[in-house]
Amino acid sequence: MSTPHGLGSTLSLRTLALAVASMLAFAANSVLCRLALHDHAIDPFSFGMIRLASGAVTLFLIQKLRDGPALPLRSDWPAALALFAYVAFFSFAYLVLSTGTGALILFGAVQLTMLGAGLRNGERPGRLAIAGMLLAIAGLVYLLSPGITAPPLLPAACMAAAGIAWGIYSLRGQKIANPLAATARNFALAAPLSVAAVLLTAGQAHASTKGVALALTSGMLTSGIGYVIWYAALPGLSAMRAATMQLSVPLIAALGGLLLIEEAITLRLAIAAISILGGIALVLARPPAKSQQDLR
């Protein structure tokens, strides 16, 4: 008999369906943001503000219907600040970056941040994991290196910062007993910060009906409900399976950008995607060796 949720266990059809739906939601966040900013239907800070506020309301209502009291008592301001930084940098970067390039930088930075945290906590990677980390870093360096098809450095740096912020946010949430309630609280805390950002850039703020609709869809559907679906899938997934599935998001996002925004998939992006996602897959292929602390 296989161990529950282990790599050798069989995924239920329900878990698989929920996981696939959540990956589509995560990729849709990139497509919706790029679609709104590509057409100049809204400015990035207004998009982020509407996304956070509508996501907070959606998560509040869902958590209240499911679990009773909608918000945990303790506020996690570092997590809320990380969430705000993720949304702000994410939106600003998509003013310029293509959907696929942005998603690749984002999720590459997320995974490398979380892997780096594991190293800091004493995890000892094997040779395969070390090779994978070097391959992923090389892919990011290649993607951002100077050249005709290289993405602009500032937007790329902003998306990398968004990935680091999301990685930090994810790490802070690993030991939370009620992630849905905590996420609702963090969205509620981050929303006023986004309002302040809009006020500080009021001279550049603008929003059409289309832009507001795309931001609401991102906040309520692909962020709010998308996170609920992901939480429902997680109990049936091992940590390694959950991490591996997220490697599909940049490719789904690139396909969405190709179909909906007619963005090209360049050779540089394709090579970088193979290097980054392949490297991370190597890291996830085997569990980390025990840390020195575990051996005591």
Side-chain angles (χ1 to χ4, degrees):
M1 181 180 297
S2 60
T3 304
H5 312 326
L7 289 176
S9 61
T10 302
L11 286 179
S12 69
L13 183 61
R14 176 181 178 275
T15 297
L16 180 61
L18 290 170
V20 171
S22 57
M23 294 304 100
L24 291 172
F26 292 163
N29 273 325
S30 290
V31 176
L32 290 168
C33 185
R34 178 59 180 156
L35 190 60
L37 299 177
H38 172 76
D39 292 340
H40 303 288
I42 193 171
D43 68 279
F45 295 108
S46 295
F47 184 94
M49 177 187 69
I50 295 171
R51 179 184 177 187
L52 284 170
S54 59
V57 172
T58 302
L59 288 164
F60 180 97
L61 294 174
I62 292 174
Q63 200 277 335
K64 186 174 181 179
L65 289 173
R66 287 183 55 179
D67 302 322
L71 298 177
L73 294 177
R74 292 188 60 186
S75 299
D76 188 351
W77 276 105
L81 288 170
L83 177 62
F84 166 73
Y86 153 69
V87 171
F89 283 121
F90 176 91
S91 301
F92 184 79
Y94 267 132
L95 275 171
V96 177
L97 296 180
S98 68
T99 310
T101 299
L104 183 60
I105 295 173
L106 175 71
F107 279 87
V110 170
Q111 296 289 353
L112 289 175
T113 298
M114 299 185 75
L115 291 171
L119 290 173
R120 182 180 179 184
N121 291 335
E123 293 180 1
R124 296 186 304 165
R127 293 180 180 178
L128 187 64
I130 293 175
M133 282 188 286
L134 292 176
L135 182 61
I137 293 170
L140 278 175
V141 171
Y142 171 69
L143 179 64
L144 301 177
S145 60
I148 296 176
T149 59
L153 184 58
L154 180 58
C158 286
M159 189 60 83
I164 293 170
W166 185 254
I168 293 171
Y169 180 80
S170 300
L171 290 166
R172 290 192 66 85
Q174 283 184 327
K175 297 181 180 180
I176 291 176
N178 190 339
L180 178 56
T183 303
R185 170 56 66 98
N186 292 332
F187 265 71
L189 292 175
L193 299 176
S194 66
V195 173
V198 170
L199 293 176
L200 289 173
T201 59
Q204 302 174 2
H206 65 275
S208 66
T209 302
K210 176 183 176 181
V212 172
L214 290 169
L216 285 172
T217 302
S218 177
M220 299 173 66
L221 186 60
T222 57
S223 293
I225 296 178
Y227 294 162
V228 174
I229 295 173
W230 181 234
Y231 294 151
L234 282 174
L237 296 170
S238 67
M240 195 167 295
R241 272 179 171 159
T244 303
M245 282 187 169
Q246 293 185 61
L247 301 182
S248 66
V249 174
L251 303 182
I252 299 171
L255 181 60
L258 176 66
L259 295 176
L260 298 177
I261 315 176
E262 298 183 353
E263 294 176 335
I265 299 178
T266 65
L267 179 61
R268 180 191 288 258
L269 176 61
I271 294 174
I274 293 171
S275 179
I276 295 170
L277 302 184
I280 294 171
L282 287 177
V283 176
L284 298 174
R286 296 179 63 184
K290 292 183 178 180
S291 65
Q292 293 289 350
Q293 186 176 1
D294 294 333
L295 295 174
R296 292 175 185 174

